[in-house]
Amino acid sequence: MIQDLGAIRRGSPSRRAAVIIMFLCSVSGIARNAMGQTVQHEIHALKVTVLSTMLVGDTSGIGEWGFSALVEADGHRILVDTGARPDTVIRNAHDLHVDLSGVQEVVLTHSHWDHVDGLLALRRELMKNDPKALSIVHVSEGIFESRPAESGERNPMIAIRKEYVATGGRFVVHRFSAELIPGVWFTGPIPRVYPEHNWDGPGRVVTAAGVAEDNIPEDSSLVLNTAKGLVVVTGCGHAGIVNIVTQAAKLVNGKPIFGVVGGLHLFRATDETVDWTASKLQGFHLANLLAAHCTGIEATFRLRQDLGLTRKSAVVASVGSSLSLAAGIEAGPLAQ
Ligand SMILES: [Fe+2]
């Protein structure tokens, strides 16, 4: 890097621009091939394991209305969402023999209680052995905004922020998409290109521009650029799965979608809405759907049918079910 900075100072304007681009590429995980073309970093070993969802697929674990999944990508591990109850993810990880020690980073997809209420208990439990455990939480701008209701503040993240920071943890608030580690992208707030309405109302959110309908503006996903295509991990998919995969494809070379794991919030959707969703997803060549949490059982089966997927490639997620590049979807016995 020191050599690069020297070259920037000494070189011609074009040389300086080239060096700056090379430097930015080196810190963003973008590489260049022998022809000098930019090549984005690809993940070659990936496994996403569901640690919280409604269905329990066998004798291991407990189900709840919530979501959490562990992402393991080329040796890096990130926890996406933390479940609803304080002990669900801890108990399920124990039953499934999933070791969460050494996981430093968390992504919270949005502010809803069924995705964030496990954070403090998990942090406090794991930091007993490792102060760095779950010490960094990536979120999108808007996650701390007030959601007032007659019963009081509805956004649990306002109280959680204080307590989490008191443990020594740090929130990283993203306004835009960011590559967290090579090949692993956090979408940040997702542009609502299509008029999907995958949230329950009517809630209100207090923004800098005033009070507005709460469309969960902070809703974000994780996008993994793998050798087999993109893998998208959603929480509730409140931004709309079509908007999410549209943003994912923009981030990473417009690759086909190898898999979607997580909630799509289609459980109240009409058949027409599910059919529209499938028609749009067809353009992204979705190969695997591990549909958790708020996707809805009927919506999952309808998406399977519409997309021409099979009982192996479109599955209702259960605790312990997974999607990996090596094995595809591994469902629990009840959901296979
Ligand atoms: Fe949600």
Side-chain angles (χ1 to χ4, degrees):
M1 178 180 163
I2 292 167
Q3 284 174 333
D4 288 346
L5 292 174
I8 290 170
R9 284 190 214 100
R10 288 192 305 275
S12 64
S14 59
R15 166 73 178 150
R16 284 201 295 270
V19 171
I20 289 168
I21 289 168
M22 284 171 64
F23 172 69
L24 290 175
C25 288
S26 70
V27 297
S28 69
I30 299 170
R32 284 175 183 273
N33 63 17
M35 305 294 288
Q37 298 157 325
T38 56
V39 179
Q40 289 178 306
H41 182 93
E42 280 186 344
I43 294 160
H44 290 274
L46 174 72
K47 185 175 186 183
V48 184
T49 305
V50 176
L51 294 177
S52 162
T53 190
M54 285 77 153
L55 185 66
V56 176
D58 58 21
T59 55
S60 301
I62 51 175
E64 65 172 4
W65 183 283
F67 183 70
S68 176
L70 180 66
V71 173
E72 300 170 273
D74 284 346
H76 298 283
R77 299 193 300 159
I78 297 177
L79 187 66
V80 178
D81 290 342
T82 58
R85 291 180 171 83
D87 60 344
T88 300
V89 172
I90 294 167
R91 288 176 58 178
N92 286 348
H94 176 267
D95 286 0
L96 296 163
H97 307 292
V98 171
D99 182 10
L100 293 177
S101 63
V103 178
Q104 289 190 16
E105 295 187 73
V106 181
V107 160
L108 293 181
T109 57
H110 64 298
S111 60
H112 287 168
W113 59 276
D114 45 339
H115 298 253
V116 304
D117 274 5
L119 175 65
L120 290 172
L122 273 166
R123 163 79 173 144
R124 286 174 180 142
E125 179 62 26
L126 294 173
M127 71 184 289
K128 288 176 187 169
N129 293 323
D130 176 8
K132 289 185 176 172
L134 309 187
S135 58
I136 300 169
V137 178
H138 297 276
V139 296
S140 276
E141 201 173 63
I143 197 167
F144 299 115
E145 285 171 345
S146 175
R147 272 77 173 186
E150 278 183 18
S151 54
E153 178 58 59
R154 288 179 62 238
N155 184 353
M157 286 303 296
I158 293 170
I160 288 172
R161 172 157 65 170
K162 264 190 180 173
E163 291 196 54
Y164 179 74
V165 171
T167 70
R170 179 168 64 94
F171 284 102
V172 181
V173 181
H174 296 266
R175 192 173 183 187
F176 304 106
S177 301
E179 193 170 28
L180 304 183
I181 48 181
V184 178
W185 289 82
F186 181 62
T187 59
I190 293 161
R192 309 291 172 97
V193 178
Y194 296 97
E196 295 173 281
H197 195 293
N198 296 2
W199 66 86
D200 299 325
R204 312 297 285 172
V205 59
V206 181
T207 71
V211 179
E213 180 185 4
D214 185 10
N215 66 352
I216 307 97
E218 75 275 15
D219 190 59
S220 326
S221 295
L222 203 63
V223 178
L224 302 126
N225 181 21
T226 84
K228 289 191 170 179
L230 305 185
V231 173
V232 178
V233 183
T234 65
C236 275
H238 292 303
I241 188 60
V242 178
N243 286 324
I244 293 168
V245 296
T246 299
Q247 180 68 1
K250 265 189 197 166
L251 288 174
V252 192
N253 288 339
K255 277 185 175 179
I257 309 289
F258 177 72
V260 169
V261 181
L264 306 188
H265 210 85
L266 291 169
F267 68 101
R268 293 190 207 277
T270 63
D271 288 349
E272 290 71 26
T273 297
V274 177
D275 291 344
W276 175 88
T277 304
S279 72
K280 290 294 181 185
L281 289 176
Q282 273 172 339
F284 295 87
H285 309 289
L286 177 62
N288 291 282
L289 173 63
L290 185 55
H293 184 38
C294 54
T295 305
I297 293 168
E298 177 57 31
T300 302
F301 290 134
R302 196 170 182 93
L303 285 172
R304 173 197 282 177
Q305 189 176 27
D306 286 355
L307 290 164
L309 297 175
T310 67
R311 62 186 293 174
K312 170 68 182 162
S313 58
V315 174
V316 177
S318 58
V319 172
S321 58
S322 62
L323 171 68
S324 68
L325 296 190
I329 291 175
E330 293 183 282
L334 190 61
Q336 67 188 350

